Amino acid sequence: MLRKRPLRVGNVSGATGDSPNAMRRMAQDGNVDVIVGDWLSEMNIAWNAIAKAQDPSLGYEAGFLLQLSESIDLIMERDIKVVTNAGALNTAALAAETRAISRARGHHEAKIAMVLGDDISGLIKDPEVRRNLTHLDHGDWRFEDWPMEAYCGVAYIGAWGIVEALNAGADIVICGRVTDASPVIAAAAWWYQWGRNAWDSLAGALIAGHLIECGPYITGANFSGFKTLLPKLIDLSFPIAEINEDGTCVITKCEGYGGAVTKHNTTAQFLYELQGEQYLNPDVVANLHDIQIQDIGPDRVHVHGVTGVPPPATTKAIIAARGGYQAEATFYINGLDVTEKAEMMRNQLLHIFRDHSFSKLSIELYGSPAVDPKRQQAGTVSLRVFAQARNLEDISALKFKIPIYALRMQSYPGYHMNLDFRTMDPKPFMEIFPATISCSLVKHRVRILPNGPEIPIVTPPSTTKLTPQPTYETLHPTTLSMFGPTEEAPLGSIVHARSGDKANNSNIGFFVRTEEEYPWLQSFLTIPRLKELFAEDWVEKTEDGDHRQVERCEFPNILAVHFRVLDFLDGGIASSSRIDGLGKGVGEYLRSRVVPIPVKFLQREWI
């Protein structure tokens, strides 16, 4: 069937089903053809591994069923397709529950499909496979040398299983760990019946999926320019991508709900969690350097300029292992001499833990007290004690909780702590090994319930050799004095930023609002300057003794500079000792750093 209008795809989840009524509202008010949602992250893959170990019928994101149960009547009435990755580590169980809900509501004609092949938990036990798995970011790190015992693994599979399901008439497609953008790529490929070598179109759909995958992040949330959108930032709409046949798209939102879609918050979301100039995906590699993002009307932003090439012969895999147990405690310190009080407490803690068998111990002071505070809360900071141990007995109450509690009568002036002592009880955590795996090893397939045949999905028709991301300083730097006199001011007075995580890596994208400011940003934000901005947070060497790698690239059409800092997040979200284990606050911290900024730029309205 020849399509005469753009496909409209609405997102209803950015992580684990953020808003319980998002699907119903999208079905009711979005005028969409397809509903998608991203329910997975590296963190809840690990959570689902623990849940499935405790109960084999679990291991999927049950929040999807909550959204679907209140939306399915509208969805079937309006012939809206639904694609989700909420299957996590138990896609078959979620598909069966979805079919049961459909039939219970009288929709016996609803066709449910499931996409399989992402679960490689059995495959990674094969010695030959183990020998050929290497670390995603460090090719000389081999999986077989990882000291942990692998518990489960998932491969990030592509869109074509979903396409086959939709071609077979599926109304709801349940997936496990497909890539975040796969549901959107698949919806567009099905709608327009693209061939598997429609590289530019597929790349455009990949970026459309990337832009809407985090839900309200592109309608005003997590945006450094949020003040310009107040008071609209209440009850934010989830986003909609209108995808054209050439893969270009317009990002918009449901009318009648809060938030806004602008060039700047679309740019921010584009920069979120990038790998660099190339966006790798098992279906296509998108070349991003020449992307353009333009306002074309209220809440309508046109995104184009992306091109595509064949994907690599490998895809990303996440392998999880039982890491052990972790616990934490928080002390609050206020008044005078906060630094000295924290030092007193740190010395006492190191003394009581002097013979500990922890695999990780972190004692960190968070916050800066106000000068002459008018409320006790304003002058209070926290001292967080975080510990992990491989064995439960090494972090039992006798080894962690009781010694910490016993310090209460030996503490600093004004001692008080978090009275929820349950945080000091050990709970399990997972370690993550991000790897690359050959797509030929992944048994990507689709099946229509209840008894349809399994349809195998073949590997891509052609592939591109995997090469490192381009990294470079600006090609034509301008002497900073050429921009005139400067004043000390926060970097964020004129510079937007968005940061996030990719496994153990932190990415930060910076951009400015005017073309006149961009040569300054390019010349100012070098790799050495980024390290200076991190200040005391910068550690030049990793725990393994290697120099920490920083990659830099530019997106000139959107006035952006992008960095990826490898091995910065203390192991990543599943096991990090950092409060900001996802690195979402890194960009805002760097924006708060005071630097010399040209006066002529500061004379404009601050962000």
Side-chain angles (χ1 to χ4, degrees):
M1 180 173 63
L2 183 65
R3 304 292 187 180
K4 296 294 186 182
R5 63 173 178 81
L7 166 71
R8 282 175 61 91
V9 182
N11 170 283
V12 298
S13 174
T16 68
D18 326 72
S19 175
N21 59 5
M23 188 181 294
R24 177 183 55 78
R25 299 200 322 188
M26 187 62 71
Q28 176 178 292
D29 301 316
N31 188 28
V32 294
D33 305 293
V34 181
I35 286 175
V36 301
D38 182 14
W39 263 262
L40 295 186
S41 70
E42 289 161 5
M43 171 57 94
N44 59 344
I45 283 289
W47 289 341
N48 279 299
I50 294 170
K52 190 177 180 183
Q54 296 169 344
D55 183 343
S57 69
L58 300 179
Y60 59 81
E61 287 296 318
F64 170 76
L65 297 175
L66 177 65
Q67 288 211 38
L68 182 69
S69 62
E70 69 166 16
S71 310
I72 192 164
D73 295 335
L74 264 175
I75 285 167
M76 296 304 296
E77 174 191 329
R78 300 187 179 186
D79 192 25
I80 300 170
K81 305 292 187 181
V82 176
V83 185
T84 178
N85 64 4
L89 286 173
N90 206 341
T91 299
L94 181 59
E97 290 288 342
T98 300
R99 183 168 182 266
I101 287 176
S102 301
R103 294 175 69 82
R105 296 290 284 271
H107 301 294
H108 297 274
E109 77 284 8
K111 190 175 284 191
I112 314 300
M114 58 182 180
V115 175
L116 304 169
D118 60 297
D119 190 342
I120 58 170
S121 301
L123 186 64
I124 58 176
K125 296 176 182 177
D126 183 321
E128 183 64 24
V129 172
R130 294 173 63 86
R131 278 193 292 271
N132 288 286
L133 289 177
T134 57
H135 194 279
L136 182 68
D137 300 309
H138 305 284
D140 55 340
W141 296 4
R142 305 187 69 81
F143 173 58
E144 65 177 352
D145 297 326
W146 194 36
M148 311 301 294
E149 182 178 351
Y151 179 75
C152 67
V154 290
Y156 284 57
I157 58 179
W160 292 98
I162 304 169
V163 176
E164 287 293 336
L166 294 172
N167 284 339
D171 299 294
I172 302 173
V173 185
I174 307 296
C175 310
R177 182 66 278 187
V178 293
T179 73
D180 295 347
S182 286
V184 176
I185 298 172
W190 161 72
W191 184 261
Y192 293 114
Q193 289 296 291
W194 290 335
R196 292 193 63 168
N197 60 353
W199 306 124
D200 290 349
S201 299
L202 291 167
L206 166 59
I207 298 311
H210 168 70
L211 288 170
I212 68 171
E213 71 188 37
C214 291
Y217 274 14
I218 199 170
T219 60
N222 195 15
F223 173 45
S224 52
F226 75 100
K227 291 182 294 185
T228 62
L229 302 181
L230 295 174
K232 295 180 182 179
L233 300 182
I234 299 172
D235 196 21
L236 271 61
S237 170
F238 278 68
I240 296 168
E242 293 180 357
I243 304 174
N244 302 307
E245 189 164 8
D246 62 359
T248 61
C249 69
V250 171
I251 305 298
T252 185
K253 60 182 275 295
C254 292
E255 295 183 10
Y257 299 111
V261 178
T262 69
K263 176 178 73 173
H264 288 148
N265 62 4
T266 302
T267 298
Q269 178 57 25
F270 166 75
L271 292 167
Y272 182 57
E273 295 185 343
L274 288 185
Q275 302 143 325
E277 280 189 6
Q278 298 174 334
Y279 200 118
L280 306 181
N281 180 273
D283 298 314
V284 66
V285 173
N287 296 316
L288 309 178
H289 182 266
D290 296 324
I291 192 169
Q292 298 192 51
I293 298 173
Q294 299 165 330
D295 285 314
I296 59 171
D299 294 320
R300 293 184 64 79
V301 173
H302 185 213
V303 181
H304 58 107
V306 174
T307 59
V309 297
T314 57
T315 190
K316 177 180 176 180
I318 290 293
I319 301 166
R322 293 178 182 272
Y325 298 83
Q326 64 187 38
E328 63 182 272
T330 305
F331 298 90
Y332 300 109
I333 305 175
N334 70 295
L336 302 175
D337 307 317
V338 165
T339 301
E340 291 80 4
K341 291 172 182 175
E343 186 63 23
M344 174 184 173
M345 200 70 198
R346 183 178 289 107
N347 291 340
Q348 290 182 310
L349 289 162
L350 291 174
H351 176 75
I352 64 171
F353 292 142
R354 63 190 180 280
D355 298 321
H356 69 75
S357 298
F358 302 143
S359 57
K360 187 177 290 186
L361 176 64
S362 169
I363 306 170
E364 296 288 342
L365 190 66
Y366 286 87
S368 300
V371 177
D372 189 23
K374 300 302 185 290
R375 302 179 67 206
Q376 182 178 348
Q377 290 90 331
T380 300
V381 301
S382 60
L383 185 74
R384 179 174 179 253
V385 185
F386 177 90
Q388 291 177 340
R390 298 301 183 199
N391 301 307
L392 180 60
E393 58 268 23
D394 292 330
I395 199 169
S396 64
L398 188 63
K399 299 290 183 67
F400 186 78
K401 186 175 188 177
I402 292 172
I404 284 180
Y405 185 64
L407 286 178
R408 69 192 187 281
M409 306 307 292
Q410 305 180 41
S411 297
Y412 52 86
Y415 155 89
H416 54 295
M417 71 177 297
N418 180 4
L419 297 179
D420 184 358
F421 295 155
R422 292 172 297 180
T423 67
M424 292 190 281
D425 294 328
K427 58 182 182 294
F429 74 95
M430 306 293 280
E431 293 271 11
I432 296 296
F433 186 93
T436 57
I437 186 170
S438 171
C439 293
S440 63
L441 293 174
V442 178
K443 306 306 179 186
H444 189 179
R445 60 201 190 277
V446 62
R447 184 157 70 86
I448 306 293
L449 298 185
N451 299 310
E454 286 194 349
I455 305 169
I457 307 301
V458 299
T459 53
S462 58
T463 58
T464 297
K465 183 179 179 181
L466 193 61
T467 57
Q469 291 280 349
T471 177
Y472 51 88
E473 300 285 9
T474 195
L475 297 179
H476 303 290
T478 303
T479 303
L480 293 176
S481 62
M482 298 294 290
F483 296 98
T486 62
E487 287 184 2
E488 298 287 309
L491 178 66
S493 58
I494 67 164
V495 179
H496 286 287
R498 172 72 68 84
S499 62
D501 68 308
K502 281 290 186 185
N504 193 25
N505 307 325
S506 178
N507 90 297
I508 317 105
F510 300 90
F511 65 100
V512 289
R513 296 166 292 177
T514 70
E515 292 187 4
E516 185 186 5
E517 294 166 345
Y518 188 53
W520 173 81
L521 185 74
Q522 290 175 294
S523 304
F524 181 79
L525 272 184
T526 61
I527 291 175
R529 179 79 67 176
L530 181 77
K531 296 177 182 180
E532 289 179 17
L533 291 174
F534 271 112
E536 294 178 11
D537 274 351
W538 184 258
V539 178
E540 185 62 35
K541 292 192 175 182
T542 67
E543 289 184 2
D544 298 312
D546 298 324
H547 283 278
R548 192 177 305 282
Q549 293 177 255
V550 182
E551 298 170 350
R552 181 190 185 278
C553 65
E554 298 177 352
F555 301 100
N557 293 334
I558 58 171
L559 312 181
V561 174
H562 177 269
F563 296 91
R564 186 169 71 135
V565 186
L566 276 68
D567 306 314
F568 189 73
L569 297 178
D570 188 40
I573 182 58
S575 61
S576 179
S577 66
R578 297 168 54 101
I579 285 182
D580 185 19
L582 286 166
K584 293 188 190 297
V586 170
E588 287 302 293
Y589 161 62
L590 297 174
R591 290 183 69 241
S592 73
R593 299 280 287 128
V594 173
V595 298
I597 296 178
V599 172
K600 62 182 179 181
F601 300 155
L602 292 172
Q603 289 172 342
R604 302 164 181 168
E605 183 178 5
W606 285 26
I607 291 173

